[in-house]
Coordinates of all heavy atoms in Angstrom, one line a residue:
M1 N -20.7 -25.3 -17.7 CA -20.1 -24.6 -16.6 C -21.2 -24.3 -15.6 O -22.2 -23.7 -16.0 CB -19.5 -23.3 -17.1 CG -18.6 -22.7 -16.1 SD -18.0 -21.0 -16.4 CE -16.9 -21.0 -17.7
N2 N -21.0 -24.7 -14.4 CA -22.0 -24.4 -13.4 C -22.0 -23.0 -12.9 O -21.1 -22.2 -13.2 CB -22.0 -25.4 -12.2 CG -20.7 -25.3 -11.5 OD1 -19.9 -24.3 -11.6 ND2 -20.4 -26.3 -10.7
R3 N -23.1 -22.6 -12.3 CA -23.2 -21.2 -11.9 C -22.1 -20.7 -10.9 O -21.7 -19.6 -11.0 CB -24.6 -21.0 -11.3 CG -25.0 -19.6 -11.0 CD -26.4 -19.5 -10.4 NE -26.7 -18.1 -10.2 CZ -27.6 -17.4 -10.9 NH1 -28.1 -18.0 -12.0 NH2 -27.9 -16.2 -10.6
S4 N -21.8 -21.5 -10.0 CA -20.7 -21.2 -9.0 C -19.4 -20.9 -9.6 O -18.7 -19.9 -9.3 CB -20.6 -22.3 -7.9 OG -19.6 -22.0 -7.0
L5 N -19.0 -21.7 -10.6 CA -17.7 -21.5 -11.3 C -17.8 -20.2 -12.1 O -16.8 -19.5 -12.2 CB -17.4 -22.7 -12.2 CG -16.1 -22.7 -12.9 CD1 -14.9 -22.5 -11.9 CD2 -15.9 -23.9 -13.8
A6 N -18.9 -20.0 -12.7 CA -19.1 -18.7 -13.5 C -19.0 -17.5 -12.6 O -18.3 -16.5 -13.0 CB -20.4 -18.8 -14.3
Q7 N -19.6 -17.6 -11.4 CA -19.5 -16.4 -10.5 C -18.0 -16.2 -10.0 O -17.6 -15.1 -9.9 CB -20.4 -16.7 -9.3 CG -21.9 -16.5 -9.7 CD -22.7 -16.9 -8.5 OE1 -22.3 -17.6 -7.5 NE2 -24.0 -16.5 -8.6
R8 N -17.3 -17.3 -9.8 CA -15.9 -17.2 -9.3 C -15.1 -16.6 -10.5 O -14.2 -15.7 -10.2 CB -15.4 -18.5 -8.9 CG -16.0 -19.0 -7.6 CD -15.4 -20.3 -7.2 NE -16.0 -20.8 -6.0 CZ -16.0 -22.0 -5.5 NH1 -15.3 -22.9 -6.2 NH2 -16.6 -22.3 -4.4
C9 N -15.3 -17.0 -11.7 CA -14.5 -16.5 -12.8 C -14.8 -15.0 -13.0 O -13.9 -14.2 -13.3 CB -14.9 -17.2 -14.1 SG -14.2 -18.9 -14.1
L10 N -16.1 -14.6 -12.8 CA -16.5 -13.2 -12.9 C -15.8 -12.4 -11.8 O -15.3 -11.3 -12.1 CB -18.0 -13.0 -12.8 CG -18.5 -11.6 -12.9 CD1 -18.1 -11.0 -14.3 CD2 -20.0 -11.6 -12.7
V11 N -15.8 -12.9 -10.6 CA -15.1 -12.2 -9.5 C -13.6 -12.0 -9.8 O -13.0 -10.9 -9.6 CB -15.4 -12.9 -8.1 CG1 -14.4 -12.4 -7.0 CG2 -16.8 -12.8 -7.7
V12 N -13.0 -13.1 -10.2 CA -11.5 -13.0 -10.6 C -11.3 -12.0 -11.7 O -10.3 -11.2 -11.6 CB -11.0 -14.4 -10.9 CG1 -9.6 -14.3 -11.5 CG2 -11.0 -15.3 -9.7
A13 N -12.2 -12.0 -12.7 CA -12.0 -11.1 -13.8 C -12.2 -9.6 -13.3 O -11.4 -8.7 -13.7 CB -13.0 -11.4 -14.9
V14 N -13.1 -9.4 -12.5 CA -13.3 -8.0 -12.0 C -12.1 -7.6 -11.1 O -11.7 -6.5 -11.2 CB -14.7 -7.9 -11.2 CG1 -14.8 -6.7 -10.4 CG2 -15.8 -8.1 -12.1
L15 N -11.7 -8.5 -10.2 CA -10.5 -8.1 -9.4 C -9.3 -7.9 -10.2 O -8.4 -7.0 -10.0 CB -10.3 -9.2 -8.4 CG -11.3 -9.3 -7.2 CD1 -11.0 -10.4 -6.3 CD2 -11.4 -8.0 -6.5
L16 N -9.1 -8.7 -11.3 CA -8.0 -8.5 -12.2 C -8.1 -7.1 -12.9 O -7.1 -6.4 -13.0 CB -7.9 -9.6 -13.2 CG -6.7 -9.6 -14.2 CD1 -5.4 -9.8 -13.4 CD2 -6.9 -10.8 -15.2
A17 N -9.3 -6.8 -13.3 CA -9.5 -5.5 -14.0 C -9.2 -4.3 -13.0 O -8.6 -3.3 -13.4 CB -10.9 -5.4 -14.5
I18 N -9.7 -4.5 -11.8 CA -9.4 -3.5 -10.7 C -7.9 -3.4 -10.5 O -7.3 -2.3 -10.4 CB -10.1 -3.8 -9.4 CG1 -11.6 -3.6 -9.6 CG2 -9.6 -3.0 -8.3 CD1 -12.4 -4.1 -8.5
G19 N -7.2 -4.5 -10.5 CA -5.8 -4.5 -10.3 C -5.0 -3.8 -11.4 O -4.1 -3.0 -11.2
I20 N -5.4 -4.1 -12.6 CA -4.8 -3.4 -13.8 C -5.0 -1.9 -13.8 O -4.1 -1.1 -14.0 CB -5.3 -4.1 -15.1 CG1 -4.7 -5.5 -15.2 CG2 -4.9 -3.3 -16.3 CD1 -5.3 -6.4 -16.3
C21 N -6.3 -1.6 -13.6 CA -6.6 -0.1 -13.5 C -5.9 0.6 -12.4 O -5.4 1.7 -12.5 CB -8.1 0.1 -13.4 SG -9.0 -0.4 -14.9
G22 N -5.8 -0.1 -11.2 CA -5.1 0.5 -10.1 C -3.7 0.6 -10.3 O -3.0 1.7 -10.0
Y23 N -3.1 -0.4 -11.0 CA -1.6 -0.3 -11.3 C -1.4 0.9 -12.2 O -0.4 1.6 -12.1 CB -1.2 -1.6 -12.0 CG 0.3 -1.7 -12.3 CD1 1.2 -2.1 -11.3 CD2 0.8 -1.3 -13.5 CE1 2.5 -2.2 -11.6 CE2 2.1 -1.4 -13.8 CZ 3.0 -1.8 -12.8 OH 4.3 -1.8 -13.1
W24 N -2.2 1.0 -13.3 CA -2.1 2.1 -14.2 C -2.2 3.4 -13.5 O -1.4 4.3 -13.7 CB -3.1 2.0 -15.3 CG -3.1 3.1 -16.3 CD1 -2.2 3.3 -17.3 CD2 -3.9 4.3 -16.3 NE1 -2.4 4.5 -18.0 CE2 -3.5 5.1 -17.3 CE3 -5.0 4.7 -15.5 CZ2 -4.1 6.3 -17.6 CZ3 -5.6 5.9 -15.8 CH2 -5.1 6.7 -16.8
L25 N -3.2 3.6 -12.6 CA -3.4 4.8 -11.9 C -2.2 5.2 -11.0 O -1.8 6.3 -11.0 CB -4.7 4.7 -11.1 CG -5.1 6.0 -10.4 CD1 -5.5 7.1 -11.4 CD2 -6.3 5.7 -9.5
L26 N -1.7 4.2 -10.3 CA -0.7 4.4 -9.3 C 0.7 4.8 -10.0 O 1.4 5.6 -9.5 CB -0.5 3.2 -8.4 CG -1.5 3.0 -7.3 CD1 -1.3 1.7 -6.7 CD2 -1.4 4.1 -6.3
F27 N 0.9 4.2 -11.2 CA 2.2 4.3 -11.8 C 2.3 5.3 -12.9 O 3.4 5.5 -13.5 CB 2.8 3.0 -12.2 CG 3.3 2.1 -11.1 CD1 2.4 1.2 -10.5 CD2 4.5 2.2 -10.6 CE1 2.9 0.4 -9.4 CE2 5.0 1.5 -9.5 CZ 4.1 0.6 -8.9
T28 N 1.2 5.9 -13.3 CA 1.2 6.9 -14.4 C 0.6 8.2 -14.0 O 0.9 9.2 -14.8 CB 0.4 6.3 -15.6 OG1 -1.0 6.2 -15.3 CG2 1.0 5.0 -16.1
Q29 N -0.1 8.3 -13.0 CA -0.8 9.6 -12.6 C -0.2 10.2 -11.4 O 0.3 9.5 -10.5 CB -2.3 9.4 -12.4 CG -3.0 8.8 -13.5 CD -3.1 9.7 -14.7 OE1 -3.3 10.9 -14.6 NE2 -2.8 9.2 -15.9
F30 N -0.1 11.5 -11.3 CA 0.3 12.2 -10.1 C -0.9 12.9 -9.5 O -1.6 13.6 -10.1 CB 1.3 13.3 -10.4 CG 1.7 14.2 -9.2 CD1 2.5 13.6 -8.3 CD2 1.2 15.4 -9.1 CE1 2.8 14.4 -7.1 CE2 1.5 16.2 -8.0 CZ 2.3 15.6 -7.0
M31 N -1.2 12.5 -8.2 CA -2.3 13.1 -7.5 C -1.8 14.2 -6.6 O -0.9 14.0 -5.8 CB -3.0 12.0 -6.6 CG -3.4 10.8 -7.4 SD -4.7 11.3 -8.6 CE -5.1 9.8 -9.4
V32 N -2.4 15.4 -6.7 CA -1.9 16.5 -6.0 C -2.0 16.3 -4.5 O -1.2 16.8 -3.7 CB -2.7 17.8 -6.5 CG1 -2.3 19.0 -5.7 CG2 -2.5 18.0 -8.0
Y33 N -3.1 15.7 -4.1 CA -3.3 15.5 -2.7 C -2.5 14.4 -2.1 O -2.5 14.1 -0.9 CB -4.8 15.1 -2.5 CG -5.2 13.9 -3.2 CD1 -5.0 12.6 -2.6 CD2 -5.9 14.0 -4.4 CE1 -5.4 11.5 -3.3 CE2 -6.3 12.8 -5.1 CZ -6.0 11.6 -4.5 OH -6.4 10.4 -5.2
D34 N -1.7 13.7 -2.9 CA -1.0 12.5 -2.4 C 0.2 12.9 -1.5 O 0.9 13.8 -1.7 CB -0.4 11.8 -3.6 CG 0.1 10.4 -3.3 OD1 -0.2 9.9 -2.2 OD2 0.7 9.7 -4.1
D35 N 0.3 12.2 -0.4 CA 1.4 12.4 0.6 C 2.3 11.2 0.6 O 2.9 10.9 1.7 CB 0.8 12.7 2.0 CG -0.1 11.6 2.5 OD1 -0.3 10.6 1.8 OD2 -0.4 11.7 3.7
E36 N 2.5 10.5 -0.5 CA 3.3 9.3 -0.6 C 4.7 9.6 -0.1 O 5.3 8.8 0.6 CB 3.3 8.8 -2.1 CG 4.3 7.7 -2.3 CD 4.3 7.4 -3.8 OE1 3.7 8.0 -4.6 OE2 5.0 6.4 -4.1
G37 N 5.3 10.6 -0.6 CA 6.7 10.9 -0.2 C 6.9 11.1 1.3 O 7.8 10.6 1.9
Y38 N 6.0 11.9 1.9 CA 6.0 12.1 3.3 C 5.9 10.8 4.1 O 6.6 10.6 5.1 CB 4.9 13.1 3.7 CG 4.6 13.2 5.2 CD1 5.5 13.9 6.0 CD2 3.5 12.6 5.7 CE1 5.3 13.9 7.3 CE2 3.3 12.7 7.1 CZ 4.2 13.4 7.9 OH 4.0 13.4 9.2
V39 N 4.9 10.0 3.7 CA 4.7 8.7 4.4 C 6.0 7.8 4.3 O 6.4 7.2 5.3 CB 3.5 8.0 4.0 CG1 3.3 6.6 4.6 CG2 2.2 8.9 4.3
L40 N 6.5 7.7 3.1 CA 7.7 6.9 2.9 C 8.9 7.4 3.6 O 9.7 6.6 4.2 CB 8.0 6.7 1.4 CG 7.0 5.9 0.6 CD1 7.3 6.0 -0.9 CD2 7.0 4.5 1.0
W41 N 9.0 8.7 3.6 CA 10.2 9.3 4.4 C 10.0 9.0 5.9 O 11.0 8.6 6.5 CB 10.2 10.8 4.1 CG 11.3 11.5 5.0 CD1 12.6 11.5 4.8 CD2 11.0 12.1 6.2 NE1 13.2 12.2 5.8 CE2 12.3 12.6 6.7 CE3 9.9 12.4 7.0 CZ2 12.4 13.3 7.9 CZ3 10.0 13.1 8.1 CH2 11.3 13.5 8.6
S42 N 8.8 9.2 6.4 CA 8.7 8.9 7.8 C 8.8 7.4 8.2 O 9.4 7.1 9.2 CB 7.3 9.4 8.3 OG 6.2 8.8 7.7
L43 N 8.4 6.5 7.3 CA 8.6 5.1 7.5 C 10.1 4.8 7.5 O 10.6 4.0 8.3 CB 7.9 4.3 6.4 CG 6.4 4.1 6.6 CD1 5.8 3.5 5.4 CD2 6.1 3.2 7.8
H44 N 10.8 5.3 6.5 CA 12.2 5.1 6.4 C 12.9 5.6 7.6 O 13.8 4.9 8.2 CB 12.8 5.7 5.1 CG 14.2 5.5 4.9 ND1 15.2 6.3 5.4 CD2 14.8 4.5 4.3 CE1 16.4 5.8 5.0 NE2 16.2 4.7 4.4
S45 N 12.6 6.8 8.0 CA 13.3 7.4 9.2 C 12.9 6.6 10.5 O 13.8 6.4 11.3 CB 12.8 8.8 9.4 OG 13.2 9.6 8.3
H46 N 11.7 6.1 10.6 CA 11.3 5.3 11.7 C 12.1 4.0 11.8 O 12.5 3.6 12.9 CB 9.8 5.0 11.7 CG 9.3 4.1 12.7 ND1 9.4 4.4 14.0 CD2 8.8 2.8 12.6 CE1 8.9 3.3 14.7 NE2 8.6 2.4 13.9
F47 N 12.3 3.3 10.7 CA 13.0 2.1 10.7 C 14.5 2.3 10.9 O 15.2 1.5 11.4 CB 12.8 1.3 9.4 CG 11.4 0.7 9.3 CD1 10.6 1.0 8.2 CD2 10.8 0.0 10.3 CE1 9.3 0.5 8.1 CE2 9.5 -0.5 10.3 CZ 8.8 -0.2 9.2
A48 N 15.0 3.4 10.4 CA 16.5 3.7 10.6 C 16.8 4.2 11.9 O 17.8 3.8 12.5 CB 16.9 4.7 9.5
E49 N 16.0 5.1 12.5 CA 16.3 5.7 13.8 C 15.4 5.3 14.9 O 15.8 5.4 16.1 CB 16.1 7.3 13.6 CG 17.0 7.8 12.5 CD 16.7 9.3 12.3 OE1 16.1 9.9 13.2 OE2 17.0 9.8 11.2
G50 N 14.2 4.8 14.6 CA 13.3 4.5 15.7 C 12.7 5.8 16.3 O 12.9 6.9 15.8
G51 N 12.1 5.7 17.5 CA 11.7 6.8 18.2 C 10.5 7.6 17.5 O 10.6 8.8 17.3
L52 N 9.5 6.9 17.2 CA 8.3 7.5 16.6 C 7.8 8.6 17.5 O 7.6 8.4 18.7 CB 7.2 6.5 16.3 CG 6.0 7.0 15.6 CD1 6.3 7.5 14.2 CD2 5.0 5.9 15.5
Y53 N 7.6 9.8 17.0 CA 7.1 11.0 17.7 C 8.2 11.7 18.5 O 8.1 12.8 18.8 CB 5.9 10.8 18.6 CG 4.8 10.1 17.9 CD1 4.3 8.9 18.3 CD2 4.2 10.6 16.8 CE1 3.2 8.2 17.7 CE2 3.2 10.0 16.1 CZ 2.7 8.8 16.5 OH 1.7 8.2 15.9
A54 N 9.3 11.0 18.9 CA 10.4 11.6 19.6 C 11.4 12.0 18.6 O 11.9 13.2 18.7 CB 11.0 10.6 20.6
K55 N 11.8 11.2 17.7 CA 12.8 11.5 16.7 C 12.2 11.7 15.3 O 12.7 12.4 14.5 CB 13.9 10.3 16.6 CG 14.7 10.2 17.8 CD 15.7 9.1 17.6 CE 16.6 8.9 18.8 NZ 17.5 7.8 18.6
V56 N 11.1 11.0 15.1 CA 10.4 11.0 13.8 C 9.1 11.6 13.9 O 8.2 11.1 14.6 CB 10.3 9.6 13.2 CG1 9.6 9.6 11.8 CG2 11.7 9.0 13.0
Y57 N 8.8 12.8 13.3 CA 7.5 13.4 13.3 C 6.6 12.7 12.4 O 6.9 12.3 11.3 CB 7.6 14.9 12.9 CG 6.3 15.5 12.8 CD1 5.6 15.9 13.9 CD2 5.7 15.7 11.6 CE1 4.3 16.5 13.8 CE2 4.4 16.3 11.4 CZ 3.7 16.7 12.5 OH 2.5 17.2 12.4
S58 N 5.3 12.5 12.9 CA 4.3 12.0 12.0 C 3.0 12.5 12.5 O 2.7 12.6 13.7 CB 4.3 10.5 12.1 OG 3.2 10.0 11.3
Q59 N 2.1 12.8 11.6 CA 0.7 13.2 11.9 C -0.2 12.0 12.0 O -1.3 12.1 12.3 CB 0.2 14.2 10.9 CG 0.0 13.6 9.5 CD -0.2 14.7 8.5 OE1 0.2 15.8 8.6 NE2 -0.9 14.3 7.4
Y60 N 0.3 10.8 11.7 CA -0.5 9.6 11.7 C -0.2 8.8 13.0 O 0.8 8.9 13.6 CB -0.1 8.7 10.5 CG -0.4 9.4 9.2 CD1 0.7 9.8 8.3 CD2 -1.7 9.6 8.7 CE1 0.4 10.4 7.1 CE2 -1.9 10.2 7.5 CZ -0.9 10.6 6.7 OH -1.1 11.2 5.5
G61 N -1.2 8.0 13.3 CA -1.1 7.2 14.5 C -0.1 6.1 14.4 O 0.4 5.8 13.3
P62 N 0.1 5.4 15.5 CA 1.2 4.3 15.5 C 0.8 3.0 14.7 O 1.6 2.2 14.4 CB 1.4 4.1 16.9 CG 0.2 4.4 17.6 CD -0.4 5.6 16.8
F63 N -0.5 2.9 14.5 CA -1.0 1.6 13.8 C -0.3 1.4 12.5 O 0.2 0.3 12.2 CB -2.5 1.6 13.7 CG -3.0 0.3 12.9 CD1 -3.0 -0.9 13.5 CD2 -3.3 0.4 11.6 CE1 -3.4 -2.0 12.9 CE2 -3.7 -0.7 10.9 CZ -3.8 -1.9 11.5
I64 N -0.2 2.4 11.7 CA 0.4 2.2 10.3 C 1.9 1.8 10.4 O 2.4 1.0 9.7 CB 0.2 3.5 9.5 CG1 0.6 3.2 8.0 CG2 1.0 4.6 10.0 CD1 0.2 4.2 7.0
Y65 N 2.5 2.4 11.4 CA 4.0 2.0 11.6 C 4.1 0.6 12.1 O 5.0 -0.1 11.7 CB 4.6 3.1 12.6 CG 4.7 4.4 11.9 CD1 3.7 5.3 12.1 CD2 5.7 4.8 11.1 CE1 3.7 6.6 11.6 CE2 5.8 6.0 10.5 CZ 4.8 6.9 10.7 OH 4.8 8.1 10.1
A66 N 3.2 0.2 13.0 CA 3.3 -1.2 13.5 C 2.9 -2.2 12.3 O 3.6 -3.2 12.2 CB 2.3 -1.4 14.6
L67 N 2.0 -1.8 11.5 CA 1.6 -2.7 10.4 C 2.7 -2.8 9.4 O 3.1 -3.9 9.0 CB 0.3 -2.1 9.7 CG -0.1 -2.9 8.4 CD1 -0.5 -4.3 8.7 CD2 -1.2 -2.1 7.7
Y68 N 3.3 -1.7 9.0 CA 4.4 -1.7 8.1 C 5.7 -2.3 8.7 O 6.5 -2.8 7.9 CB 4.7 -0.3 7.5 CG 3.7 0.1 6.4 CD1 2.8 1.1 6.6 CD2 3.7 -0.6 5.2 CE1 1.9 1.4 5.6 CE2 2.8 -0.2 4.2 CZ 1.9 0.8 4.4 OH 1.0 1.1 3.5
H69 N 5.8 -2.3 10.0 CA 7.0 -2.9 10.6 C 6.8 -4.4 10.4 O 7.8 -5.1 10.1 CB 7.0 -2.6 12.1 CG 8.2 -3.2 12.8 ND1 9.5 -2.7 12.6 CD2 8.3 -4.2 13.6 CE1 10.3 -3.4 13.3 NE2 9.6 -4.4 13.9
V70 N 5.6 -5.0 10.6 CA 5.4 -6.4 10.4 C 5.6 -6.7 8.9 O 6.3 -7.7 8.6 CB 3.9 -6.8 10.8 CG1 3.6 -8.2 10.3 CG2 3.8 -6.6 12.3
I71 N 5.1 -5.9 8.0 CA 5.4 -6.2 6.5 C 6.9 -6.1 6.2 O 7.4 -7.0 5.5 CB 4.6 -5.2 5.7 CG1 3.1 -5.4 5.8 CG2 5.0 -5.2 4.2 CD1 2.2 -4.3 5.2
H72 N 7.6 -5.2 6.8 CA 9.0 -5.0 6.6 C 9.8 -6.2 7.1 O 10.7 -6.7 6.5 CB 9.5 -3.7 7.2 CG 10.9 -3.5 7.2 ND1 11.6 -3.2 6.0 CD2 11.9 -3.6 8.2 CE1 12.9 -3.1 6.3 NE2 13.1 -3.3 7.6
T73 N 9.4 -6.7 8.3 CA 10.1 -7.8 8.9 C 9.8 -9.1 8.2 O 10.7 -9.9 8.0 CB 9.6 -7.9 10.4 OG1 9.9 -6.7 11.1 CG2 10.4 -9.0 11.1
V74 N 8.6 -9.3 7.8 CA 8.2 -10.6 7.2 C 8.7 -10.7 5.8 O 9.3 -11.7 5.4 CB 6.7 -10.8 7.3 CG1 6.3 -12.0 6.4 CG2 6.2 -11.0 8.7
F75 N 8.5 -9.7 5.0 CA 8.9 -9.8 3.6 C 10.2 -9.1 3.2 O 10.6 -9.1 2.1 CB 7.8 -9.1 2.7 CG 6.5 -9.8 2.8 CD1 5.4 -9.3 3.5 CD2 6.3 -11.1 2.3 CE1 4.2 -9.9 3.6 CE2 5.1 -11.7 2.4 CZ 4.0 -11.2 3.1
R76 N 10.9 -8.5 4.2 CA 12.2 -7.8 4.0 C 12.1 -6.8 2.8 O 13.0 -6.8 2.0 CB 13.3 -8.9 3.7 CG 13.5 -9.9 4.7 CD 14.3 -9.2 5.9 NE 14.5 -10.2 6.9 CZ 14.6 -9.9 8.2 NH1 14.5 -8.7 8.6 NH2 14.9 -10.8 9.0
L77 N 11.1 -6.0 2.9 CA 10.9 -5.0 1.8 C 11.6 -3.7 2.2 O 11.7 -3.3 3.4 CB 9.4 -4.7 1.7 CG 8.5 -5.8 1.2 CD1 7.1 -5.4 1.2 CD2 8.9 -6.2 -0.2
T78 N 12.1 -3.0 1.2 CA 12.6 -1.6 1.4 C 11.4 -0.7 1.0 O 10.7 -1.0 0.1 CB 13.8 -1.3 0.5 OG1 13.4 -1.5 -0.8 CG2 15.0 -2.2 0.9
F79 N 11.3 0.4 1.7 CA 10.2 1.3 1.5 C 10.7 2.4 0.5 O 11.2 3.4 0.9 CB 9.6 1.8 2.8 CG 8.9 0.8 3.5 CD1 9.4 0.3 4.7 CD2 7.7 0.3 3.1 CE1 8.7 -0.7 5.4 CE2 7.0 -0.7 3.8 CZ 7.5 -1.2 4.9
D80 N 10.5 2.1 -0.8 CA 10.7 3.1 -1.8 C 9.4 3.4 -2.5 O 8.3 2.8 -2.1 CB 11.8 2.6 -2.8 CG 11.5 1.3 -3.4 OD1 10.4 0.7 -3.1 OD2 12.3 0.8 -4.2
N81 N 9.4 4.2 -3.5 CA 8.2 4.6 -4.2 C 7.4 3.4 -4.8 O 6.2 3.2 -4.7 CB 8.4 5.6 -5.3 CG 8.8 6.9 -4.7 OD1 8.8 7.1 -3.5 ND2 9.0 7.9 -5.5
E82 N 8.2 2.5 -5.4 CA 7.6 1.3 -6.1 C 7.0 0.4 -5.1 O 5.8 -0.1 -5.3 CB 8.6 0.6 -6.9 CG 8.1 -0.5 -7.8 CD 9.1 -1.1 -8.7 OE1 10.1 -0.5 -9.1 OE2 8.9 -2.3 -9.1
T83 N 7.7 0.1 -4.0 CA 7.1 -0.8 -3.0 C 5.9 -0.2 -2.4 O 4.9 -0.9 -2.1 CB 8.2 -1.1 -2.0 OG1 9.4 -1.7 -2.6 CG2 7.7 -2.1 -1.0
G84 N 6.0 1.1 -2.0 CA 4.8 1.7 -1.4 C 3.6 1.7 -2.3 O 2.5 1.4 -1.9
R85 N 3.8 1.9 -3.6 CA 2.7 1.8 -4.5 C 2.1 0.4 -4.7 O 0.9 0.2 -4.8 CB 3.1 2.4 -5.9 CG 3.3 3.9 -5.8 CD 3.9 4.4 -7.1 NE 4.2 5.8 -7.0 CZ 4.8 6.5 -7.9 NH1 5.1 6.0 -9.0 NH2 5.0 7.8 -7.7
L86 N 3.0 -0.6 -4.7 CA 2.5 -2.0 -4.8 C 1.8 -2.4 -3.6 O 0.7 -3.1 -3.7 CB 3.7 -2.9 -5.1 CG 4.3 -2.8 -6.5 CD1 5.5 -3.7 -6.6 CD2 3.3 -3.2 -7.6
I87 N 2.2 -2.0 -2.4 CA 1.5 -2.3 -1.2 C 0.1 -1.6 -1.2 O -0.9 -2.2 -0.8 CB 2.3 -1.9 0.1 CG1 3.5 -2.8 0.2 CG2 1.4 -1.9 1.3 CD1 4.5 -2.4 1.3
T88 N 0.1 -0.3 -1.7 CA -1.2 0.4 -1.8 C -2.1 -0.4 -2.8 O -3.3 -0.5 -2.5 CB -0.9 1.8 -2.3 OG1 -0.1 2.5 -1.4 CG2 -2.2 2.6 -2.5
L89 N -1.6 -0.8 -3.9 CA -2.4 -1.6 -4.8 C -2.9 -2.9 -4.2 O -4.1 -3.2 -4.4 CB -1.6 -1.9 -6.1 CG -2.3 -2.7 -7.1 CD1 -3.5 -1.9 -7.7 CD2 -1.3 -3.1 -8.3
F90 N -2.1 -3.5 -3.4 CA -2.6 -4.7 -2.7 C -3.7 -4.4 -1.7 O -4.7 -5.1 -1.7 CB -1.4 -5.3 -1.9 CG -1.8 -6.5 -1.0 CD1 -2.1 -7.7 -1.6 CD2 -1.9 -6.3 0.3 CE1 -2.4 -8.8 -0.8 CE2 -2.3 -7.4 1.2 CZ -2.6 -8.6 0.6
F91 N -3.6 -3.3 -1.0 CA -4.7 -2.9 -0.1 C -6.0 -2.5 -0.9 O -7.1 -2.8 -0.5 CB -4.3 -1.7 0.8 CG -3.3 -2.1 1.9 CD1 -2.3 -1.3 2.3 CD2 -3.4 -3.4 2.5 CE1 -1.4 -1.7 3.3 CE2 -2.5 -3.7 3.5 CZ -1.5 -2.9 3.9
W92 N -5.8 -1.8 -2.0 CA -7.0 -1.4 -2.9 C -7.7 -2.7 -3.3 O -8.9 -2.8 -3.2 CB -6.5 -0.6 -4.1 CG -6.2 0.8 -3.8 CD1 -6.3 1.5 -2.6 CD2 -5.8 1.8 -4.8 NE1 -5.9 2.8 -2.8 CE2 -5.6 3.0 -4.1 CE3 -5.6 1.7 -6.2 CZ2 -5.3 4.1 -4.8 CZ3 -5.2 2.8 -6.8 CH2 -5.0 4.1 -6.1
V93 N -7.0 -3.6 -3.9 CA -7.6 -4.8 -4.4 C -8.2 -5.7 -3.3 O -9.3 -6.2 -3.4 CB -6.6 -5.6 -5.3 CG1 -7.2 -7.0 -5.7 CG2 -6.2 -4.8 -6.5
G94 N -7.5 -5.7 -2.2 CA -8.0 -6.5 -1.0 C -9.3 -5.9 -0.5 O -10.2 -6.6 -0.2
S95 N -9.3 -4.6 -0.3 CA -10.5 -4.0 0.2 C -11.7 -4.1 -0.8 O -12.8 -4.2 -0.4 CB -10.3 -2.5 0.6 OG -9.9 -1.8 -0.5
S96 N -11.4 -4.0 -2.1 CA -12.4 -4.2 -3.1 C -12.9 -5.7 -3.1 O -14.2 -5.9 -3.2 CB -11.8 -4.0 -4.5 OG -11.4 -2.6 -4.6
S97 N -12.1 -6.6 -2.8 CA -12.6 -8.0 -2.8 C -13.4 -8.2 -1.5 O -14.4 -9.0 -1.6 CB -11.4 -9.0 -2.8 OG -10.6 -8.9 -1.7
L98 N -13.1 -7.5 -0.4 CA -13.9 -7.7 0.8 C -15.3 -7.0 0.6 O -16.3 -7.5 1.1 CB -13.2 -7.1 2.0 CG -12.0 -7.9 2.4 CD1 -11.3 -7.1 3.6 CD2 -12.4 -9.3 2.9
A99 N -15.3 -5.9 -0.2 CA -16.6 -5.2 -0.4 C -17.4 -6.0 -1.3 O -18.6 -6.0 -1.2 CB -16.3 -3.8 -1.0

């Protein structure tokens, strides 16, 4: 096995371990500081009613709503707790792989 292949296998193994640990953390632990329900409610209201800041209050900027609008349109996802956690896991593993 050459060195490059071994390094790639190590990177994949580390990302897989991060993914498994992140999945366990997201789906079994409750974080007191978590605002998951608030964000999901505001996303749901935004897609149902529109009118960010006029009809739907949010303390977050419009970027997250534009990003999730693209995700919602492309993948036809509903924003419930499970989907929100899986998207968060995707971002966690993605940012870990970039680091």
